[in-house]
Amino acid sequence: MKCIRKIFLFLIITTIPINCYEKLNEKFQDEVYIDLSDTNWDNSFPINVSSGWEFYWNQLLEPTVFLANHPLGNAPVVEFRPWTNLTFSDRKFPAKGYATYHKKIKVQKSFKVKQFSIYFMHLFSSSKVYINGELIQEKGKVSAQLSEIMPDRTNSTIEFLTDQLDLDIVIQIANHDFYQGGPRGEFLIASPSQMYLYKSKNLIVDIFIFGLIFGSALYHLSFYFINRNQRAFLYFSIVCITFLIRIPFLNSKSHGYFIPMRSFEFQSIWLHYVNILTFVFSILFLSELFKSKQCKYIKKIFYVGATLALFTPFVPKTFQYYLNFIYLVVYLIMFLAFSFYLLYKHKKEAQGLYSMAIALFSLTLFCILAISVNYYGIQGGLYLVIGYLFYVIFQTVSLSKFFAYAIESRANIEMALHEESLYALSKQRAEMQLMVHDQLGANLTDLKVYLERKLASLSDSVKYTFDLDHIYNRVVSIIQSLRNQLLYIEDQNLIFENFVTGLHLTLLRRYSDVGREFEFLPSNDFLNYFNEIKIIGKNQSYFLNIFYMLYEVCTNDIKYGRGESVWRLDYVNSSFYINQRNLLNFPIEKQKSNLELKSIKQRLAQLNGTLEVQILDESYQLKIQFPT
């Protein structure tokens, strides 16, 4: 289903601009004069009339020549493409030069005033447009003297009124500096409303793709600010930003809606420097992502290339455009080749690399397509924008999977280290217990036996003089305390294996040592909860806090209570309920000053719980509730 959605989205993006204009019927493809008088201009898409143009090389013919219907010989019929791509009888045309393109279109059947709109991409490099003998548009300076040519390569939208049946279109073009000469792209004719709709659809595509890439740039930039160690996100966000800078200068040239349309020279230099930034930060992104030794050498190559490319705008224009184009093609191939090499080298790390491979394949396909059609003379900006979109989307997915896998691996390592540290601590604790039992316990026992023998052989006066009875009692007390402490450590180890059993044994031992009766009554829900949950990692402190709190309750009961102590433990609606009941061993009037519940309240506050004490005559009842 997800794959179908992606394909559907791709079709929408690519078919919107493709279906925005109509192509000529095949019978008109090579005709200089075409009849479009049956067209309903108010409702029809723009018509592309880029085929069937008369071509006059090294001639700047005035429209009067064509209007007079003088025979001009057999002029070749070409498409609205750069003359550098034309070949006639093994003849190739140089970039420097000038030419005239001519075409005639019948647009209506009767003589009435009607408004039309013509749209075409920028020409190489200066031009004059005549319609029915009238100069409609002039960009730059057209001249037969190459040194006098002044370029102006911006898109053209021409609106005009005519009452003629035919449109006689003459375009004079002259080029001096650029490595291509002549027209390019589509030559569209339509009503002004339909032409506006066509341009709006192209603009919608640019805005849609711009928004997606902008969102991706913000996402990765914010992730970097959250985690400054992950510089790959910073580098990729900068790459996305360089794509964003390009988009307004491609396809619909949307930057003209916000700022005055810039000259072709400015756009060329501006985009050249953007290309340098893209390649530099793309290779930094790869080196940060893969941490490969080869990245160091490749980075140096990209740095050297970027440094040299900084100075290409200062060379003569004739060479400048060639050098910019060579830099773009060479380093694009190097980047793509190195990217695929890193993917192959790290193919065992499959997480996210398949998406990255799709991203690179998409970028390669659309970049090659855009460069090819641009060189042939067809507008390739749309394909380049789509390539950016696919690269950013799949690279974002790849980056998310890659670092999700890295974070998961790190978490697993931390968990393994934590478990290892717990095992080591448990082993150390067991060894300490054994050492205490074998050495300190044995020595204290020997001292106890020695004192028993001496007490039996000494007189009462000697015993009284050295207070041997007191020393003997202290040794016995220390041995008992040591024994209780070792048992307490065992109880702590046990609660991590089975919390209820460990708690039960601890309380039972405490009450047995003081000769008190004890009843432990956990509910089935309470038992089931601790049978299902594992006490490990971060939740250990939570359950230790419960254990210490209940241990304090037991200590408080032993200190101030008497008779049988009844404990009821329950688990209801994600909350624990502890009910402890016993008798008091002091008068009722002293109960408030002697009961020590401060430490219990402090631990309970950490558990976000509540405590309630009920005293009736000499009966004492403690109720504790806290959430899981």
Side-chain angles (χ1 to χ4, degrees):
M1 182 61 70
K2 292 183 179 179
C3 182
I4 294 175
R5 290 177 182 174
K6 291 177 181 177
I7 295 174
F8 182 71
L9 178 62
F10 170 74
L11 291 175
I12 291 177
I13 295 173
T14 53
T15 55
I16 284 178
I18 291 174
N19 292 330
C20 284
Y21 64 81
E22 295 179 359
K23 294 183 179 180
L24 287 175
N25 292 331
E26 292 184 4
K27 64 180 181 179
F28 296 139
Q29 288 294 324
D30 297 324
E31 298 292 332
V32 176
Y33 178 79
I34 57 175
D35 186 353
L36 301 178
S37 58
D38 292 329
T39 304
N40 182 359
W41 295 105
D42 294 328
N43 298 319
S44 296
F45 287 129
I47 299 176
N48 182 15
V49 291
S50 60
S51 62
W53 289 75
E54 289 180 332
F55 175 66
Y56 300 90
W57 173 244
N58 273 350
Q59 300 181 65
L60 296 177
L61 301 177
E62 296 296 324
T64 53
V65 176
F66 301 101
L67 293 175
N69 293 321
H70 294 311
L72 299 175
N74 295 324
V77 179
V78 300
E79 291 190 352
F80 201 68
R81 297 285 180 268
W83 60 63
T84 46
N85 296 332
L86 301 178
T87 302
F88 299 113
S89 302
D90 298 329
R91 181 187 178 187
K92 291 186 69 68
F93 300 95
K96 294 182 180 181
Y98 48 89
T100 301
Y101 287 77
H102 172 247
K103 190 172 185 63
K104 196 170 184 179
I105 307 170
K106 186 175 182 180
V107 292
Q108 55 184 350
K109 294 182 178 179
S110 59
F111 293 93
K112 60 180 179 179
V113 177
K114 192 168 184 63
Q115 189 174 19
F116 290 91
S117 179
I118 289 176
Y119 174 78
F120 53 88
M121 304 296 291
H122 65 261
L123 308 179
F124 307 119
S125 57
S126 58
S127 61
K128 285 183 178 180
V129 180
Y130 297 89
I131 297 180
N132 293 339
E134 181 182 355
L135 178 61
I136 300 297
Q137 175 182 273
E138 182 176 6
K139 290 196 172 184
K141 183 179 180 180
V142 178
S143 175
Q145 300 296 323
L146 297 181
S147 59
E148 296 179 359
I149 295 174
M150 296 179 60
D152 185 356
R153 295 184 282 268
T154 54
N155 296 347
S156 298
T157 301
I158 304 172
E159 294 185 4
F160 59 93
L161 293 170
T162 183
D163 58 356
Q164 300 297 313
L165 301 180
D166 300 328
L167 299 180
D168 195 276
I169 304 172
V170 177
I171 303 178
Q172 298 176 356
I173 305 173
N175 177 58
H176 181 219
D177 297 321
F178 200 66
Y179 59 82
Q180 283 184 316
R184 65 182 301 217
E186 299 84 12
F187 191 95
L188 305 178
I189 180 171
S191 65
S193 59
Q194 289 296 324
M195 192 65 72
Y196 176 78
L197 184 60
Y198 164 80
K199 295 174 68 176
S200 298
K201 289 179 179 179
N202 278 274
L203 183 61
I204 289 172
V205 174
D206 287 356
I207 293 173
F208 173 75
I209 296 177
F210 186 94
L212 289 178
I213 298 178
F214 181 71
S216 178
L218 285 182
Y219 167 75
H220 291 94
L221 196 61
S222 61
F223 191 93
Y224 166 73
F225 285 125
I226 294 173
N227 189 350
R228 298 294 181 90
N229 295 326
Q230 304 295 348
R231 287 183 294 178
F233 286 91
L234 173 64
Y235 296 146
F236 185 70
S237 65
I238 295 177
V239 172
C240 291
I241 292 172
T242 61
F243 290 162
L244 293 176
I245 295 174
R246 282 191 187 87
I247 290 176
F249 295 89
L250 302 173
N251 195 32
S252 64
K253 308 285 187 180
S254 56
H255 75 280
Y257 292 93
F258 307 100
I259 58 176
M261 186 67 71
R262 299 298 176 180
S263 66
F264 184 84
E265 286 75 18
F266 174 85
Q267 294 183 43
S268 177
I269 295 172
W270 171 254
L271 293 179
H272 174 66
Y273 282 123
V274 174
N275 289 336
I276 295 174
L277 289 176
T278 302
F279 287 129
V280 169
F281 283 99
S282 294
I283 205 67
L284 286 173
F285 166 67
L286 290 179
S287 63
E288 186 68 24
L289 192 63
F290 291 100
K291 304 290 186 181
S292 174
K293 290 183 179 180
Q294 286 79 4
C295 289
K296 297 180 181 179
Y297 306 108
I298 298 296
K299 278 199 297 185
K300 291 180 180 179
I301 296 175
F302 273 81
Y303 290 158
V304 171
T307 304
L308 295 176
L310 290 174
F311 300 98
T312 57
F314 301 101
V315 303
K317 293 180 181 178
T318 304
F319 303 102
Q320 172 188 322
Y321 299 122
Y322 276 112
L323 292 175
N324 291 351
F325 181 76
I326 291 171
Y327 173 78
L328 173 64
V329 173
V330 170
Y331 278 88
L332 176 63
I333 293 173
M334 286 181 59
F335 168 73
L336 294 172
F338 184 61
S339 300
F340 282 114
Y341 165 75
L342 290 176
L343 286 178
Y344 176 78
K345 184 178 179 181
H346 296 83
K347 59 184 178 181
K348 294 182 179 179
E349 304 171 12
Q351 296 293 334
L353 297 186
Y354 295 129
S355 299
M356 187 175 180
I358 296 174
L360 290 170
F361 177 78
S362 302
L363 184 65
T364 304
L365 177 65
F366 284 103
C367 282
I368 292 175
L369 184 61
I371 293 173
S372 301
V373 297
N374 263 322
Y375 187 80
Y376 181 67
I378 300 175
Q379 165 64 1
L382 174 64
Y383 300 105
L384 197 58
V385 170
I386 294 174
Y388 293 160
L389 176 64
F390 271 74
Y391 177 74
V392 169
I393 289 177
F394 285 103
Q395 191 66 273
T396 299
V397 173
S398 168
L399 203 56
S400 300
K401 289 184 177 180
F402 191 90
F403 279 96
Y405 175 74
I407 292 172
E408 183 181 356
S409 299
R410 185 182 303 168
N412 291 335
I413 292 173
E414 290 178 354
M415 179 62 70
L417 290 175
H418 180 73
E419 292 178 352
E420 185 68 23
S421 64
L422 288 179
Y423 173 76
L425 182 62
S426 175
K427 186 176 180 180
Q428 184 181 11
R429 187 180 296 161
E431 291 176 353
M432 184 188 69
Q433 292 176 12
L434 184 61
M435 181 187 67
V436 170
H437 181 270
D438 290 347
Q439 297 182 15
L440 182 58
N443 291 334
L444 287 174
T445 303
D446 292 343
L447 180 59
K448 175 176 173 290
V449 173
Y450 175 77
L451 287 174
E452 287 177 346
R453 293 174 180 174
K454 284 296 182 182
L455 288 174
S457 62
L458 296 176
S459 62
D460 292 338
S461 60
V462 175
K463 294 177 186 179
Y464 179 78
T465 301
F466 294 100
D467 202 7
L468 294 181
D469 289 330
H470 177 71
I471 295 174
Y472 176 77
N473 291 332
R474 290 291 295 171
V475 171
V476 172
S477 176
I478 292 172
I479 293 174
Q480 182 64 29
S481 176
L482 178 62
R483 171 181 170 273
N484 291 337
Q485 190 63 31
L486 291 175
L487 291 175
Y488 180 74
I489 293 175
E490 291 179 0
D491 293 340
Q492 281 188 315
N493 290 334
L494 183 58
I495 65 170
F496 292 123
E497 298 177 6
N498 191 309
F499 184 84
V500 179
T501 303
L503 177 65
H504 189 187
L505 289 178
T506 301
L507 298 180
L508 181 60
R509 187 175 293 113
R510 291 294 311 278
Y511 283 110
S512 298
D513 289 343
V514 296
R516 291 273 301 276
E517 293 184 1
F518 168 65
E519 189 172 1
F520 190 76
L521 303 173
S523 67
N524 291 330
D525 292 335
F526 189 87
L527 294 173
N528 291 335
Y529 175 84
F530 285 97
N531 288 334
E532 294 175 358
I533 194 168
K534 283 188 174 182
I535 303 176
I536 187 170
K538 294 182 179 180
N539 67 353
Q540 285 186 353
S541 60
Y542 171 76
F543 289 101
L544 275 176
N545 206 13
I546 297 175
F547 176 79
Y548 291 141
M549 180 193 66
L550 297 180
Y551 194 86
E552 291 289 341
V553 172
C554 176
T555 302
N556 191 67
D557 181 20
I558 291 173
K559 188 173 181 180
Y560 300 108
R562 61 185 175 87
E564 183 182 33
S565 182
V566 179
W567 290 62
R568 296 185 182 274
L569 303 94
D570 200 1
Y571 173 75
V572 180
N573 296 330
S574 300
S575 292
F576 293 115
Y577 293 87
I578 313 297
N579 192 323
Q580 186 263 324
R581 179 169 48 85
N582 60 275
L583 297 176
L584 294 174
N585 61 2
F586 53 83
I588 299 175
E589 58 270 12
K590 296 182 181 180
Q591 60 194 13
K592 292 183 180 180
S593 61
N594 288 343
L595 289 177
E596 298 177 0
L597 302 176
K598 184 177 180 181
S599 60
I600 299 175
K601 290 180 179 178
Q602 289 176 349
R603 292 196 179 275
L604 195 58
Q606 299 177 15
L607 297 171
N608 297 320
T610 59
L611 180 145
E612 180 183 354
V613 177
Q614 294 180 357
I615 300 176
L616 184 61
D617 295 332
E618 295 183 357
S619 176
Y620 173 85
Q621 187 171 5
L622 181 68
K623 295 182 180 180
I624 295 174
Q625 182 268 331
F626 54 92
T628 56

